[in-house]
Amino acid sequence: MTHKPCAKPTSRRRTQRAMVSVGLLLLPAAAQTQGYSYTTYGTVGLVDMPTAQSAEDAELTATYSQFANTARTTLSFQITPRLSGSFRYSKIDDYLPDGDATFDRSFDLRYRLLDETSSRPAVAVGLQDFIGTGIYSGEYIVATKSLSPRLTFTGGIGWGRLGSYNGFSNPLGVVDGRFDTRPDRDTGRGGEIETSGWFRGDAALFGGVAWQASDKLTLKAEYSSDAYGRESRYGSFEHKSPFNFGLDYEIRDNVHLQAHYLYGSTFGFSLNLRNNPRHPLVNGGKGPAPLPVKRRAPGAASDLGWTQAVGVVSSLREQTGMLLASDGMALEAMKISADAVTVHIRNERYLARPEAIGRTARILTQVMPASVENFTVVPLENGIPLSATTLHRSDIEDLEHEADGSWQTYARADIEDAADSLDGATYHGDHYPKLTWSVGPYLNASYFDPDEPVRLDTGLRLQGRYDIAPGWFLSGSIEQRLAGNIGDAARGSNSVLPRVRSESAIYAREGETALEHLTLAHYFRPGKDLYARVTAGYLESQFGGISSELLWKPVGSRLALGAEVNYAVQRDFDQRFGFRDYEIATGHLSAYYDFGNGYLGQVDAGRYLAGDYGATFTLDRVFANGWSIGAYATFTDVSFDDFGEGSFDKGLRFTVPLSHVLGEPSDKTYKAVIQPLTRDGGARLKVRNRLYESVRGYHTPELKDSWGRFWR
């Protein structure tokens, strides 16, 4: 019998399939009332086996587990109420035939297909180690049912690693005979997604029970379908029984300690640290209270006598500037008429941008003459206006104490482009020129070196900024390393590409006293909906040159488009003033889209530092309080073989607002990127203060998401 090839799907059919896929991911999910715990793999489940439960939406959990010859460190994130993802770094001693240890990086995905009801269980499907060497590769379908709020039962079927103990012929073989055989996985390079092996080969059953004995203690027992074949064959691990037992104890809020007895032969433990970006670590807030709204006396709005007084406008600027400064903001410029005022502010405190706008409006009610009815607040970032929010003073007076005052204020506000808003405005005080500087500690980290999975450098950093004129500033930083071991990495680069990132350890070793960056930057508005930047100098620790950027971003649009062109020269290893003999022109066209509900997508296509061409795809989940968690993947014309271990560049990125930890207002954030491997393919120039991140926070989609803090 012959098989005819399937017809190529039409564009319309492909679009329909894509829409269905996105729809499935965003299906609403019912709340889960029963508790859940994490496995030794750092995923929601029993002891070593998964369940169909999901963590609380947006929960971010770090898990460290150890037993016998295995240690695993996992980051798991509940991406949507139904979809979760995990990144794991594992060390397995005595795993190789010669007795050596192996270090493994792996990614998991799990999607809850069905919610639990009174008559049916929750059902989930999962992919374990679907990007990596395949050491933990497996797939599963699992169901979980609560018999009471504290007692749950789980049963599932697994393939691959999860079908290795007491397996049987794949039931999917009745659909297609190809499901009967699981192809060998190429474990040498890793990083590839080998869909041809999913749900193929022998299958096996697993299951278990969890009983929440108290509010803090959960007891678990399971039957595992993982034979731990290779560990048992080469290592010190013994698989005597498929039964595992464990307990989970909540030491304190969001800190769980687990103990396990595994496979009839060994004891182990796990530590879970849970955090949810939607919930602050500190209850309440320690910031200063805003000024109250000052209501006008009846009939006072008709008094225009102040417009004839000498020096009144200057006095109004001074009063407004003083009150803004006391609230952590700065008055850049102002223009005023009999019935309207426009203030240009620099917000240096409030990460929730509507909070800065709301506090500015309250201040204006205290200062402005009664006839001034319209308040326009224009935030500036790097000297350029980002948007203009116009509020009616009477609305501010009427809605201050209304239950839905925030929403009504937003509905009545007029938010527009602010490209020409500085025309006719008078700059306030002595903001230009201005020097600011600071000295403090720094900590740099390097991950996943097999000889030392975590390497750290620490020391002192001197940094400063000199604002020359609006939109023009010099900035720089110098680091003095005091201790650390990033430069001790002994594994040299084996890259066949220009070594634009793979020699980072040499930069760390030779740059004991390093000029981290020294740049002159100019930001300006070429026209409506347009933003521009030019930056020149020592752009980052490994490259100098010149970078230019243009961004199109209408205030009310979810879509933004950008273009960046760079000329980069590689710096000397000591990170002083010299350069090496490698130079390159790079550039990207970028598209940004706000999908709503905090999901931001980004595509950057162009030329990278090693001369390769391709695109980077990024998806972030951004929260109104400033948290951001995302992932990216870069594919270029560099072959997987030439790229080397990992096959392509990928990683996770995090933004943590300082206010989340301290409980007081701050616009400072900590940003981190975790790359499983640092290779040369897909490497992009690191330029500070790119436009989109600065601009989007004051535009309508993001302002709307955080407008609830307008009256804070």
Side-chain angles (χ1 to χ4, degrees):
M1 182 175 66
T2 60
H3 296 274
K4 294 182 179 180
C6 296
K8 185 176 181 180
T10 65
S11 175
R12 181 178 179 182
R13 288 171 60 193
R14 286 196 299 268
T15 302
Q16 290 173 338
R17 292 177 184 176
M19 292 174 66
V20 170
S21 300
V22 173
L24 285 172
L25 291 177
L26 300 178
L27 278 173
Q32 298 180 114
T33 56
Q34 72 276 10
Y36 54 88
S37 62
Y38 285 81
T39 68
T40 64
Y41 282 95
T43 57
V44 172
L46 295 165
V47 181
D48 219 25
M49 295 290 107
T51 64
Q53 297 165 298
S54 299
E56 182 185 3
D57 182 34
E59 183 168 282
L60 177 66
T61 301
T63 299
Y64 176 79
S65 67
Q66 186 164 356
F67 62 92
N69 57 351
T70 298
R72 300 172 183 147
T73 302
T74 307
L75 280 177
S76 291
F77 180 55
Q78 195 64 39
I79 303 168
T80 74
R82 295 180 178 275
L83 179 68
S84 63
S86 302
F87 169 67
R88 182 179 307 104
Y89 185 69
S90 306
K91 179 185 179 183
I92 310 173
D93 291 320
D94 303 318
Y95 185 79
L96 301 175
D98 58 6
D100 285 346
T102 190
F103 296 83
D104 182 68
R105 294 164 288 267
S106 55
F107 292 85
D108 299 354
L109 282 177
R110 178 192 308 187
Y111 185 74
R112 195 170 79 252
L113 295 169
L114 297 175
D115 299 322
E116 181 179 348
T117 67
S118 59
S119 59
R120 75 167 185 231
V123 177
V125 59
L127 303 174
Q128 181 172 288
D129 192 6
F130 74 101
I131 303 179
T133 60
I135 287 176
Y136 290 127
S137 177
E139 304 80 46
Y140 58 88
I141 300 174
V142 61
T144 298
K145 186 73 176 73
S146 300
L147 297 189
S148 75
R150 293 184 179 270
L151 183 64
T152 60
F153 284 85
T154 292
I157 180 172
W159 291 263
R161 176 100 182 197
L162 301 181
S164 59
Y165 182 81
N166 203 16
F168 48 83
S169 297
N170 193 342
L172 296 176
V174 301
V175 179
D176 191 319
R178 289 176 293 181
F179 282 107
D180 291 331
T181 304
R182 191 177 184 90
D184 292 334
R185 181 79 176 260
D186 176 14
T187 62
R189 183 176 57 247
E192 297 183 46
I193 303 176
E194 299 188 14
T195 59
S196 61
W198 292 356
F199 301 98
R200 292 178 62 174
D202 286 351
L205 300 177
F206 62 87
V209 58
W211 176 49
Q212 191 173 349
S214 70
D215 291 342
K216 291 184 174 294
L217 178 65
T218 300
L219 304 178
K220 303 180 286 185
E222 71 178 14
Y223 174 88
S224 171
S225 59
D226 190 340
Y228 276 78
R230 190 174 179 109
E231 289 91 338
S232 299
R233 186 160 59 250
Y234 294 126
S236 59
F237 183 80
E238 290 187 84
H239 186 287
K240 294 182 177 180
S241 166
F243 293 100
N244 297 325
F245 304 92
L247 61 86
D248 178 300
Y249 185 76
E250 184 179 15
I251 301 173
R252 51 175 295 182
D253 288 347
N254 300 320
V255 180
H256 290 245
L257 181 64
Q258 301 184 33
H260 312 121
Y261 182 64
L262 296 139
Y263 300 100
S265 64
T266 187
F267 289 93
F269 75 93
S270 297
L271 180 67
N272 306 125
L273 304 177
R274 306 181 186 182
N275 182 39
N276 195 309
R278 300 187 306 172
H279 308 319
L281 296 181
V282 180
N283 291 326
K286 296 186 289 185
L291 289 174
V293 172
K294 183 178 180 180
R295 302 183 66 88
R296 293 169 292 183
S302 60
D303 182 4
L304 298 178
W306 68 272
T307 60
Q308 306 301 317
V310 177
V312 67
V313 173
S314 177
S315 175
L316 293 174
R317 280 201 304 269
E318 291 298 324
Q319 293 178 58
T320 304
M322 290 176 56
L323 290 176
L324 283 170
S326 67
D327 217 0
M329 297 177 284
L331 176 64
E332 287 271 343
M334 176 189 287
K335 56 183 174 182
I336 188 170
S337 66
D339 63 351
V341 62
T342 298
V343 291
H344 294 79
I345 66 168
R346 188 196 313 161
N347 169 28
E348 299 176 333
R349 176 174 289 178
Y350 303 102
L351 196 59
R353 305 313 191 188
E355 187 170 358
I357 296 172
R359 285 174 175 256
T360 301
R362 288 170 180 260
I363 287 171
L364 293 177
T365 67
Q366 293 281 339
V367 175
M368 291 298 120
S371 67
V372 179
E373 167 65 13
N374 297 313
F375 298 162
T376 300
V377 181
V378 182
L380 302 184
E381 192 86 15
N382 293 317
I384 58 174
L386 303 179
S387 65
T389 300
T390 300
L391 304 159
H392 296 297
R393 185 174 186 167
S394 53
D395 290 336
I396 301 297
E397 294 171 337
D398 294 342
L399 300 175
E400 181 184 16
H401 300 296
E402 291 294 317
D404 61 346
S406 293
W407 169 246
Q408 287 197 52
T409 306
Y410 175 78
R412 301 181 191 185
D414 184 16
I415 305 173
E416 296 181 336
D417 186 83
D420 299 326
S421 62
L422 284 167
D423 294 348
T426 301
Y427 277 88
H428 173 73
D430 300 322
H431 291 315
Y432 302 97
K434 182 180 180 181
L435 174 66
T436 55
W437 62 277
S438 65
V439 178
Y442 76 87
L443 182 69
N444 292 334
S446 173
Y447 304 102
F448 312 122
D449 181 344
D451 298 323
E452 192 74 40
V454 179
R455 294 182 181 273
L456 300 172
D457 278 352
T458 185
L460 292 176
R461 177 186 290 134
L462 169 65
Q463 56 187 358
R465 170 169 165 152
Y466 185 68
D467 288 85
I468 304 168
W472 290 89
F473 65 90
L474 279 166
S475 68
S477 61
I478 299 173
E479 291 183 349
Q480 175 62 54
R481 187 175 73 249
L482 300 179
N485 62 351
I486 294 179
D488 295 342
R491 296 174 181 247
S493 172
N494 61 356
S495 178
V496 300
L497 301 172
R499 296 177 180 180
V500 295
R501 292 298 182 205
S502 59
E503 294 181 324
S504 296
I506 303 178
Y507 280 92
R509 181 165 59 248
E510 297 196 11
E512 183 176 359
T513 303
L515 178 65
E516 186 191 28
H517 86 281
L518 179 62
T519 57
L520 172 65
H522 178 42
Y523 289 76
F524 57 101
R525 295 290 308 267
K528 182 180 179 182
D529 302 331
L530 293 175
Y531 304 81
R533 168 190 61 82
V534 179
T535 308
Y538 297 90
L539 299 170
E540 48 144 296
S541 61
Q542 298 184 34
F543 283 91
I546 185 168
S547 172
S548 60
E549 183 182 6
L550 180 67
L551 178 73
W552 173 82
K553 174 64 173 73
V555 168
S557 174
R558 294 185 179 275
L559 175 68
L561 301 174
E564 181 178 294
V565 178
N566 310 303
Y567 170 72
V569 184
Q570 197 166 33
R571 295 179 62 185
D572 282 345
F573 289 129
D574 63 8
Q575 298 165 70
R576 301 288 176 89
F577 295 101
F579 291 95
R580 304 173 70 193
D581 60 357
Y582 181 78
E583 58 187 60
I584 190 169
T586 74
H588 286 79
L589 297 176
S590 301
Y592 312 85
Y593 193 77
D594 184 341
F595 292 99
N597 297 320
Y599 295 97
L600 298 180
Q602 179 177 337
V603 179
D604 303 288
R607 193 186 196 201
Y608 295 84
L609 285 172
D612 47 334
Y613 291 86
T616 299
F617 302 88
T618 304
L619 180 65
D620 292 299
R621 184 171 182 185
V622 180
F623 299 88
N625 60 9
W627 264 89
S628 174
I629 300 173
Y632 73 90
T634 300
F635 301 93
T636 72
D637 56 2
V638 173
S639 69
F640 287 177
D641 287 331
D642 286 343
F643 183 90
E645 185 182 357
S647 299
F648 62 95
D649 187 38
K650 52 193 170 292
L652 308 173
R653 61 187 198 178
F654 303 86
T655 299
V656 181
L658 194 60
S659 57
H660 179 87
V661 179
L662 300 179
E664 59 184 25
S666 173
D667 68 341
K668 301 296 187 292
T669 60
Y670 172 76
K671 296 185 178 183
V673 177
I674 297 179
Q675 293 174 278
L677 287 164
T678 301
R679 306 289 294 181
D680 297 311
R684 193 174 178 187
L685 198 63
K686 298 175 183 177
V687 181
R688 286 168 172 76
N689 299 316
R690 284 189 166 105
L691 290 170
Y692 182 69
E693 282 303 308
S694 300
V695 169
R696 71 174 183 85
Y698 286 107
H699 283 200
T700 303
E702 285 73 21
L703 282 176
K704 181 179 179 181
D705 290 342
S706 56
W707 198 267
R709 297 188 65 87
F710 179 86
W711 290 110
R712 292 294 297 268

